[in-house]
Amino acid sequence: MYTHLQTYDSYEDSYDRITVDSARQDMATFTTLYEDFFKIMPDEPRKSIRATIHLNIIYMATVGYDLIERYDNRNDAIRDMMACDRAKDEQVANARLTSEPLCQHCSMTGLRITNKLLTSRSGSYKSQEVLFMLKCSHCDTNSAYWEDGTPHERLTIYCPKCNSTMNEKTATTVKAVTTTYMCSSCGHSYKDKYDLTRKEEAVDPNFEADRVRFCLQDEKVRDELRRAKQRFEEMARIGKEYMDKEDNKPVYDSVDKLVKLKIAEIVPLLQPVLEKAGYAELGLDKPEMGKDVLIGFNCLDTKSNRNDHDSAKTLKNLIKKQLETTNWRLTGDGVRYRLGYLNGRLRAYEREEDLKQLVMKSRKSKPKQEAGEPDKKNNYTIKNENGETIIL
Ligand SMILES: [Zn+2]
Ligand SMILES: [Zn+2]
């Protein structure tokens, strides 16, 4: 009986043959692109650095990446192929006829199973099913049934000479299945042979050399290719970053223009403006050093006729405006006011990505601020259970 599962070597062999075949085709593509490169740039010396870099990139894209991928997937792919074939063998081994088959020629029982095949039912694209080949001891002919008891549909063969129905007889050996067709009317006959032996493939004189080369059997070659892959991926990453910087140039320019304030520079920046507006004794808490740096601030309102809401709002807007060109911002907790004591928190933005976001956010809200309109929509007043007024 024909088994699907083969030795490990034969899977390695067939996997490598596919690798070699596809690599040869890819190499042909690369060779064409190589020639095209020098057609477009006829004055470029063949070994110039520019040509080398370009051609290396083209080589990696057309050949190199696939070679690494096929090398890396080899063990898994072979394991999958073996599992698949093992499952086929199990399906055949476990298949049982569900009912007693009758001879398709003389309708007698007691047929002997001569073979089980895994094959697709005609007209069905479903998975393969087991077909039982049976021999009748009474009339010495073959019958075939599917596992579920359905008889195998046989095509009626007509005699090419007199158009009568042909009888057929099948003889199976290890090497071949031979079917003899015989005309019941005029006696014309012919044979059809299905070869079961594996065809000797035409010897490929370059296969072993190409196998070493394209299946990356040499560790040095393999490592060099991997390093090339890393280099090009790095180049692609830098290229992308560069494109991003070009696309967002105004944003990056603004990021560069942001004043990166040290903690010690905050009070000197804010104090004069706040004092002018009637806020005294600006002080900072100890900074909280987490993923971001947060720092609490507090001051006293010296204007007796200013109410809680106005005081907190004025302070918020002053700080916001003063910090606009820096990498510091008021946090979302807002500014709190109670009995003329005001406090809140500031956050420092340090990472380039965060600074980029900061700039994009303030660019979006810029036109509104430039128009000099008070951004009322962004101000919410809350009074908490401690009686503090909070401007968010
Ligand atoms: Zn029979
Ligand atoms: Zn005939």
Side-chain angles (χ1 to χ4, degrees), residues 159-164 166 183-188:
C159 174
K161 298 219 160 141
C162 71
N163 222 19
S164 306
M166 300 284 276
C183 176
S184 51
S185 179
C186 75
H188 172 67

Side-chain angles (χ1 to χ4, degrees), residues 29-39 46 55 58:
T29 309
F30 171 69
T31 308
T32 311
L33 293 170
Y34 180 96
E35 295 307 330
D36 287 351
F37 178 83
F38 289 107
K39 266 184 217 156
R46 295 247 154 185
L55 293 168
I58 297 170

Side-chain angles (χ1 to χ4, degrees), residues 8-27:
Y8 192 84
D9 291 1
S10 67
Y11 292 94
E12 284 186 310
D13 196 70
S14 58
Y15 187 88
D16 289 351
R17 273 180 203 280
I18 295 169
T19 306
V20 168
D21 279 350
S22 102
R24 283 171 176 169
Q25 287 172 29
D26 293 343
M27 276 307 290

Side-chain angles (χ1 to χ4, degrees), residues 103 105-108 111 136 138-141:
C103 172
H105 308 274
C106 71
S107 299
M108 297 286 273
L111 308 183
C136 173
H138 306 281
C139 69
D140 197 33
T141 57

Side-chain angles (χ1 to χ4, degrees), residues 180-195:
T180 310
Y181 298 92
M182 175 96 78
C183 176
S184 51
S185 179
C186 75
H188 172 67
S189 84
Y190 62 89
K191 283 183 181 176
D192 212 8
K193 196 171 166 188
Y194 178 71
D195 198 349

